[in-house]
Amino acid sequence: MTGKDEVVQPLMTVRQLAQQGDVTVHVVRNYLRRGLLQAATHTEGGYQLFSVSELQRLHFIRTAQQLGFTLAEIEEFAASALVRLDG
């Protein structure tokens, strides 16, 4: 149940996520293929929709790359973090 004071964050399309993350659509799709990003839901027309948490994840990935980490290293880190959270 949603309280009156809670703000529901709108979902973003691939293009909107890319614009807000200051990357290209191709970068977002590459991260999707690699499993670094995940759509929150899909529309009836098949469009992927993303939550604000995926935008934060996108910012994290880009920051890690700027610090010198490769996508393979970021994938390993993300996978091990998920295992710890689930386990």
Side-chain angles (χ1 to χ4, degrees), residues 9-17 28 32 37-55:
Q9 296 291 330
L11 297 175
M12 297 169 273
T13 63
V14 169
R15 182 174 305 281
Q16 291 167 330
L17 179 65
V28 170
L32 283 165
L37 294 175
Q38 186 175 4
T41 189
H42 294 77
T43 65
E44 288 182 19
Y47 288 96
Q48 296 174 312
L49 298 176
F50 301 88
S51 66
V52 173
S53 65
E54 290 306 293
L55 178 59

Side-chain angles (χ1 to χ4, degrees), residues 12-33:
M12 297 169 273
T13 63
V14 169
R15 182 174 305 281
Q16 291 167 330
L17 179 65
Q19 288 172 340
Q20 290 193 29
D22 198 28
V23 297
T24 66
V25 170
H26 299 290
V27 167
V28 170
R29 290 193 176 126
N30 181 38
Y31 293 171
L32 283 165
R33 279 191 298 276

Side-chain angles (χ1 to χ4, degrees), residues 31-86:
Y31 293 171
L32 283 165
R33 279 191 298 276
R34 296 182 82 126
L36 290 168
L37 294 175
Q38 186 175 4
T41 189
H42 294 77
T43 65
E44 288 182 19
Y47 288 96
Q48 296 174 312
L49 298 176
F50 301 88
S51 66
V52 173
S53 65
E54 290 306 293
L55 178 59
Q56 293 168 342
R57 183 182 299 264
L58 177 58
H59 286 302
F60 170 79
I61 294 166
R62 300 302 287 176
T63 300
Q65 285 184 301
Q66 290 171 351
L67 291 172
F69 291 95
T70 66
L71 283 179
E73 291 169 327
I74 297 167
E75 287 170 354
E76 285 182 41
F77 176 74
S80 65
L82 288 176
V83 168
R84 279 189 234 125
L85 291 175
D86 292 341

